[in-house]
Amino acid sequence: MGSIIRYHNLFETRRLVCLLGVVFGLALMIQYFGFPYGYALSSLFTANGGQISSSQRVDPSGNFSRSDNLKHGSIVNATNTNLINETTNETKLSDANNEEVEDGSMPPMNERSGDTLTEDVDPEDESPFKDSKLDNKSNVESLGRNSSLPPDKAADSEDDLQASNSTSESSLSRVVDTNGGGSISPAPTEAKSLEISPTALSIAPPPSVVIPQVNLDAQKEAPLISSYQNISEKEGNTGHLLESDNLPVQKRTDHAPTVGHKIPEMKESDKPIDSVVSIAEMNVMQQETRTSFRSMKPRWSSDVDQELLHAKSVIENSPLAGNEPGLYAPLYRNLSMFMRSYELMEQILKVYIYSEGARPVFHTPVLKGIYASEGWFMKLLKRNKKFVTKNPKKAHLFYLPFSSRMLEESLYVPDSHSRRNLVRYLSDYLDIIIQRHNFWNRTAGADHFLVACHDWAPSETKRIMANCIRALCNADIKEGFQFGKDVSLPETYIRAEKNPLREIGGKRLSKRRTLAFFAGNMHGYLRPILLNNWENKDPDMKIFGKISKVSYVQYMKSSKYCICAKGYEVNSPRVVEAIFYECVPVIISDNFIPPFFETLNWEAFAIFVPEKDIPKLKDILVSIPDRRYREMQRRVKLVQQHFLWHVRPVKYDIFNMILHSIWHNRVFGGIE
């Protein structure tokens, strides 16, 4: 009888255990399918849902240290976590400091500023919408990236990464660059396959940086610098004036350099500018900034600093230039200084190109279309033996070889109305650069530069690459363009990769019977105003919407003035096209800084018309004396050499002019 009872109790016990197992399994299934992130067990082990908690501290000696506490559920899909974290239904994003930031709303428009028309392809329609700018209050993720260690205190090899593999490399994929060697970079290939809500994106926290604990001397105890900071934002006050300029009295506030590791407060130059800055005021700002703007003082000295100081002194004390074949003095702000600066650039400039970065975003030049400027520059610089050095200690400048066009093409999620993952991708790239090398930290990125032509580049780089010299096609004062630091990049529409000079030139003056010409898609608010005022209103004003490529080129070649009206953004390839076809440019784009502004005197060969004066456009053009027009058209032909791409660069061409502008701003924006 006792054995029967024991057997019955054992049976009941087993049945109870099985029942509990089934209940537990059902609970796990319900939890798994109920959680939007798919972390079935993460909430059981961590209170924050598996996020990375990072903190920075200053020890009593003044050295910065970083504490990184990885929660159990934080290491997830390595190919896309750092690009885009899981989708939520919230309308706010959480940045690296666990602060809530609102994502900017972005209307469903076309993304291009507009530009030349062809029969088969309209380059203005390359993207399904036009993004609004990333707002000034939200696009900041504070990363404690920058080590303050000089080269002799910190290793400069891949060994530095081993201590932080669990934080940074867990969210990055290792890829092989076609140039050879492995490089660590976020993988762009899966971004478009993710299902992203258009209302919000959750961005994964940045990879942490393990900073070696080394006792630094007083010189090296500078605070940690975030690459999101604007170290100096000075605007000009006085400068070169033309006789016809009437400048309003306008007081501008200079901002003292700021140093620190926290997210910077919004500076005046970051805030929207409601008023229009005239070309005359830009001349004033540029001239004054050349003598007043200074980037951050390097944390430790280098031989290149003395070379830059010597170059600056030599340029500022240049003797009056004699006759230089091909250079016409009225086209330049100061021909003597330009010639001396260009000569020194050819003699001493060395550029280091980072090998890190995965294709196609890095090391992949786009050589056709309206974004070709960034691609042609990348291609020609990478194969240039005179300027490029493999020894970073000899470099005056460091090139970040990414394509803003390929960044958008590879990573932008259609209809997501967010570029946060693009910014995060560049941020992760900088983390790798800073971990592997010390060069960024010496100047907080002030001796680094980028060349980007896509419309989104200013907003994508204004925080994380704020101290860099940014060569931008979208050179807009309202977008935070800084005179003395940033460079206005010419936007060039290349139709034939093997022959970029095809169809150059135009008809002689006697054959240019059309007073003014414009054709283009109705992008932005300005072009509809232009057409409403002038389309089919006057036989002298050939103002159209979209037309064929053949007609477009013929009108360019046979018109006196070519209207360069902004699209969604201030930049347009029509400015360079007008020069290419020897037509006097008429720029209608408020707050647009024209290319090579630190060197060229644009009012010598171009007309600037405020947007509000579109109804007076013909009166303005007719009032220009014929003698003045003829001289301006002659100057257009003389300045043309500075806007031409060659398969092999030639002196004073567009490649060398872009590089010179970057060199110029580094020389005059360097240390005292």
Side-chain angles (χ1 to χ4, degrees):
M1 185 68 179
S3 63
I4 294 175
I5 293 175
R6 286 195 301 272
Y7 178 82
H8 181 269
N9 290 339
L10 181 60
F11 176 80
E12 290 297 327
T13 301
R14 289 179 178 176
R15 187 170 64 174
L16 180 60
V17 170
C18 291
L19 181 61
L20 290 175
V22 171
V23 171
F24 185 74
L26 289 174
L28 286 180
M29 291 179 63
I30 292 172
Q31 188 181 24
Y32 179 84
F33 290 106
F35 280 80
Y37 292 89
Y39 303 145
L41 296 176
S42 62
S43 62
L44 300 179
F45 300 107
T46 178
N48 66 353
Q51 301 231 350
I52 298 177
S53 174
S54 302
S55 62
Q56 288 181 327
R57 299 189 297 272
V58 181
D59 61 29
S61 65
N63 296 327
F64 276 79
S65 63
R66 183 177 179 90
S67 172
D68 299 295
N69 302 317
L70 295 181
K71 302 303 180 183
H72 178 74
S74 65
I75 302 177
V76 293
N77 191 338
T79 59
N80 59 28
T81 302
N82 236 22
L83 301 178
I84 307 173
N85 205 347
E86 300 289 343
T87 307
T88 70
N89 294 324
E90 299 172 354
T91 59
K92 294 185 178 181
L93 305 176
S94 178
D95 68 2
N97 290 327
N98 296 325
E99 298 174 349
E100 289 185 342
V101 292
E102 297 179 359
D103 197 9
S105 60
M106 304 197 300
M109 307 180 195
N110 187 286
E111 55 95 6
R112 273 301 307 148
S113 60
D115 304 325
T116 319
L117 321 186
T118 69
E119 292 175 318
D120 302 321
V121 179
D122 183 0
E124 295 178 302
D125 295 327
E126 292 183 4
S127 185
F129 76 98
K130 166 66 183 74
D131 242 345
S132 67
K133 318 295 180 298
L134 289 181
D135 56 10
N136 291 323
K137 65 182 178 181
S138 66
N139 191 25
V140 184
E141 296 92 359
S142 179
L143 304 180
R145 325 178 145 131
N146 300 307
S147 166
S148 60
L149 300 178
D152 58 343
K153 296 293 183 181
D156 201 18
S157 68
E158 295 188 11
D159 293 338
D160 296 337
L161 294 176
Q162 295 177 358
S164 58
N165 281 343
S166 61
T167 56
S168 65
E169 293 195 23
S170 64
S171 59
L172 301 177
S173 61
R174 181 172 293 278
V175 294
V176 178
D177 192 343
T178 57
N179 288 339
S183 63
I184 297 177
S185 180
T189 56
E190 297 190 20
K192 289 193 176 181
S193 65
L194 300 176
E195 295 181 0
I196 304 300
S197 167
T199 58
L201 293 175
S202 179
I203 304 301
S208 62
V209 179
V210 177
I211 300 178
Q213 299 300 308
V214 180
N215 292 327
L216 305 179
D217 56 29
Q219 181 182 0
K220 278 75 176 183
E221 289 183 355
L224 194 67
I225 302 298
S226 169
S227 63
Y228 293 101
Q229 286 182 287
N230 270 333
I231 299 303
S232 178
E233 298 193 13
K234 295 190 176 182
E235 295 177 337
N237 300 310
T238 60
H240 173 69
L241 302 179
L242 299 178
E243 293 181 357
S244 60
D245 294 335
N246 295 315
L247 290 183
V249 178
Q250 184 171 347
K251 181 74 174 179
R252 296 190 177 274
T253 304
D254 291 348
H255 301 278
T258 59
V259 177
H261 66 283
K262 295 182 179 180
I263 298 175
E265 296 181 0
M266 186 186 300
K267 304 297 191 299
E268 289 298 323
S269 61
D270 292 333
K271 298 179 181 178
I273 299 176
D274 296 327
S275 60
V276 175
V277 180
S278 69
I279 188 67
E281 290 178 286
M282 291 182 192
N283 287 327
V284 170
M285 295 166 70
Q286 172 63 42
Q287 187 69 13
E288 178 61 18
T289 305
R290 187 181 65 80
T291 59
S292 63
F293 177 83
R294 292 294 175 269
S295 61
M296 171 188 167
K297 182 178 180 180
R299 294 182 185 172
W300 56 86
S301 61
S302 172
D303 291 341
V304 298
D305 297 332
Q306 298 306 313
E307 293 175 353
L308 291 173
L309 285 172
H310 175 71
K312 178 182 177 183
S313 175
V314 171
I315 294 170
E316 289 180 329
N317 295 283
S318 301
L320 291 177
N323 294 327
E324 174 72 9
L327 298 181
Y328 182 53
L331 297 176
Y332 307 92
R333 294 182 178 276
N334 188 313
L335 178 59
S336 300
M337 292 181 65
F338 167 65
M339 291 176 57
R340 194 70 180 105
S341 176
Y342 190 96
E343 179 183 8
L344 289 173
M345 178 190 76
E346 289 188 316
Q347 291 176 357
I348 70 173
L349 175 61
K350 295 300 177 184
V351 179
Y352 180 79
I353 304 175
Y354 285 110
S355 60
E356 288 81 359
R359 295 176 183 270
V361 175
F362 295 89
H363 309 286
T364 306
V366 178
L367 302 178
K368 292 182 64 176
I370 56 179
Y371 305 100
S373 290
E374 66 179 24
W376 273 81
F377 179 85
M378 182 189 297
K379 173 187 175 181
L380 297 178
L381 181 62
K382 285 173 74 71
R383 70 184 191 187
N384 190 290
K385 297 181 180 180
K386 178 170 66 175
F387 294 122
V388 174
T389 179
K390 294 184 179 180
N391 184 352
K393 294 182 179 180
K394 295 182 178 180
H396 305 87
L397 290 164
F398 295 81
Y399 177 42
L400 303 170
F402 79 94
S403 165
S404 61
R405 171 55 172 163
M406 294 309 300
L407 181 69
E408 179 266 341
E409 181 71 19
S410 302
L411 296 180
Y412 174 69
V413 181
D415 300 323
S416 68
H417 303 285
S418 175
R419 289 169 281 172
R420 296 299 185 92
N421 60 317
L422 280 67
V423 176
R424 174 59 61 199
Y425 185 85
L426 293 179
S427 176
D428 293 338
Y429 169 75
L430 283 184
D431 285 334
I432 296 302
I433 293 296
I434 293 167
Q435 289 181 59
R436 286 191 170 185
H437 308 284
N438 257 332
F439 316 122
W440 176 283
N441 296 308
R442 198 180 77 88
T443 63
D447 53 1
H448 287 57
F449 73 95
L450 60 97
V451 177
C453 203
H454 197 277
D455 285 349
W456 298 351
S459 58
E460 291 166 351
T461 61
K462 69 184 299 182
R463 296 291 183 181
I464 61 175
M465 299 177 180
N467 299 322
C468 297
I469 300 172
R470 302 182 303 160
L472 303 168
C473 286
N474 188 5
D476 186 350
I477 292 179
K478 288 187 176 182
E479 286 276 352
F481 183 97
Q482 286 187 263
F483 291 95
K485 180 180 75 68
D486 296 332
V487 169
S488 180
L489 179 68
E491 184 171 4
T492 57
Y493 183 24
I494 302 298
R495 295 182 174 87
E497 177 182 335
K498 295 183 179 180
N499 184 15
L501 301 183
R502 191 175 69 183
E503 298 181 327
I504 188 173
K507 297 182 179 179
R508 60 180 183 269
L509 291 181
S510 62
K511 298 293 184 178
R512 293 183 177 266
R513 297 189 174 93
T514 298
L515 177 63
F517 163 70
F518 172 84
N521 286 338
M522 295 299 98
H523 292 175
Y525 65 85
L526 186 69
R527 295 181 184 181
I529 297 174
L530 180 64
L531 263 69
N532 288 338
N533 278 274
W534 295 108
E535 186 178 28
N536 299 321
K537 301 293 177 62
D538 191 300
D540 293 332
M541 306 288 287
K542 303 299 182 182
I543 308 297
F544 308 107
K546 181 178 179 179
I547 63 175
S548 70
K549 169 189 171 182
V550 175
S551 298
Y552 180 89
V553 172
Q554 290 306 311
Y555 272 116
M556 278 273 189
K557 289 176 173 286
S558 59
S559 298
K560 291 183 176 179
Y561 298 99
C562 289
I563 309 301
C564 307
K566 66 177 290 184
Y568 285 121
E569 303 294 347
V570 295
N571 50 303
S572 169
R574 286 172 178 80
V575 176
V576 176
E577 282 185 320
I579 297 172
F580 190 84
Y581 296 121
E582 300 172 0
C583 180
V584 175
V586 179
I587 300 174
I588 309 178
S589 181
D590 290 349
N591 298 321
F592 171 57
I593 301 97
F596 310 140
F597 194 65
E598 63 286 326
T599 297
L600 296 180
N601 174 21
W602 272 83
E603 290 175 290
F605 56 91
I607 304 295
F608 293 83
V609 176
E611 295 175 9
K612 64 181 180 62
D613 289 340
I614 286 180
K616 306 174 184 177
L617 183 56
K618 183 177 180 180
D619 292 339
I620 292 173
L621 298 180
V622 171
S623 67
I624 298 173
D626 185 66
R627 180 178 178 180
R628 182 186 174 197
Y629 161 73
R630 290 176 176 274
E631 177 60 20
M632 292 185 73
Q633 201 269 344
R634 185 177 76 89
R635 293 176 178 181
V636 166
K637 295 169 69 174
L638 291 173
V639 81
Q640 186 186 71
Q641 64 174 324
H642 298 319
F643 295 91
L644 303 180
W645 290 107
H646 298 87
V647 176
R648 287 185 173 84
V650 301
K651 192 170 186 177
Y652 301 133
D653 71 352
I654 188 170
F655 167 77
N656 285 291
M657 288 295 289
I658 294 171
L659 194 59
H660 173 266
S661 292
I662 297 167
W663 152 262
H664 175 279
N665 283 2
R666 180 58 187 148
V667 169
F668 286 96
I671 63 173
E672 289 289 354

